[in-house]
Amino acid sequence: MSDDEQRGGGADAVHRVDGLLGDLQAADERPVAPRRRADAERNRAQILAAAERLFAEQDPRTVTMDRIAKAAGVGRATLYRSFPDPPSVAVALLDEHERRLQGQLIYGPPPLGPGAPAGERLAAFYLAMLDLLERHLPLALGAETGAARFRTGAYGFWRVHVRTLLVDHGVEDPDPLIDIALSPLAPELFQFQRHELGLPAERVGRSLTAFARQLLRSGDGR
């Protein structure tokens, strides 16, 4: 008998043993998955926190995956396991704020939630979106500019909401009007109005409130 056999056969022998020893070995291995999940969650939190700082400090459209990985203190492979590109990181950060607004549109009190006339609900939606853009513009610019804006899940939700308001108001052909109604909420337009033209958010809000009411008043299909 070899020395390894006398000591129990070494590492290979442990995997060949049935019964109690094998069960104990399996028990030792089971916690690995939760530990890996905890590591992944910690890495994700570091990535999101670092990315939010970067989006706030510079033009979000210039943030790269290399910079995010370096700022988060993670490897590129770790970053790419969670996110394919910088806009997807911005989408993840913005998602929490947008989901809160979505809940208010469905379940909240009027005029933002159900129970008010369509024109008043659209006006309230505009004001809520302007507030979101005012507080989280860097994230919106990183996630929802250009053609990418139309492919986000949030934009799809806004389209459904606006279409519902148009239909409730009696607009005969609402579909071409949906994106026209949403166009004033483009993040790059908000940035231009607020930071290049210097228009106060309250002034933009008053104009959009009037626009919402006029849009539905003129589009009445009844």
Side-chain angles (χ1 to χ4, degrees):
M1 180 181 292
S2 68
D3 290 341
D4 280 344
E5 288 170 332
Q6 291 175 347
R7 287 191 298 266
D12 290 340
V14 171
H15 295 288
R16 290 196 298 269
V17 172
D18 295 325
L20 180 60
L21 182 57
D23 292 341
L24 289 175
Q25 182 71 13
D28 288 341
E29 293 174 352
R30 277 195 290 272
V32 171
R35 191 159 56 244
R36 287 175 180 168
R37 286 196 295 271
D39 290 344
E41 287 300 318
R42 184 172 62 252
N43 288 336
R44 179 182 173 87
Q46 290 177 207
I47 290 166
L48 291 177
E52 188 156 26
R53 290 194 301 271
L54 290 176
F55 288 134
E57 292 169 357
Q58 65 184 84
D59 184 339
R61 291 160 292 190
T62 66
V63 173
T64 65
M65 294 293 271
D66 282 341
R67 292 204 62 188
I68 293 174
K70 188 175 296 184
V74 301
R76 284 170 51 89
T78 298
L79 175 58
Y80 277 103
R81 275 197 295 271
S82 299
F83 302 102
D85 50 34
S88 67
V89 183
V91 167
L93 285 164
L94 192 60
D95 182 62
E96 179 181 347
H97 308 297
E98 291 179 327
R99 280 188 295 169
R100 188 175 299 118
L101 175 54
Q102 290 165 6
Q104 293 172 339
L105 294 174
I106 298 173
Y107 305 111
L112 191 57
E120 296 303 313
R121 291 198 68 194
L122 182 60
F125 170 62
Y126 279 153
L127 293 179
M129 284 296 296
L130 289 181
D131 180 63
L132 188 148
L133 289 171
E134 181 73 16
R135 290 183 291 113
H136 305 291
L137 182 60
L139 298 181
L141 287 170
E144 298 183 352
T145 54
R149 178 176 182 236
F150 305 114
R151 295 191 293 270
T152 64
Y155 189 82
F157 186 98
W158 311 142
R159 290 191 89 257
V160 170
H161 178 64
V162 171
R163 189 182 193 282
T164 299
L165 297 181
L166 296 174
V167 171
D168 287 349
H169 189 68
V171 175
E172 292 183 353
D173 188 13
D175 293 318
L177 196 56
I178 299 171
D179 300 296
I180 294 172
L182 286 169
S183 60
L185 302 175
E188 56 266 60
L189 175 59
F190 183 81
Q191 182 190 42
F192 175 71
Q193 291 183 318
R194 290 285 288 116
H195 300 292
E196 295 192 38
L197 298 182
L199 298 176
E202 295 78 8
R203 185 177 173 189
V204 176
R206 286 195 300 270
S207 296
L208 281 184
T209 295
F211 173 72
R213 292 166 179 157
Q214 183 60 38
L215 178 69
L216 290 189
R217 187 178 303 123
S218 63
D220 195 339
R222 294 186 177 125

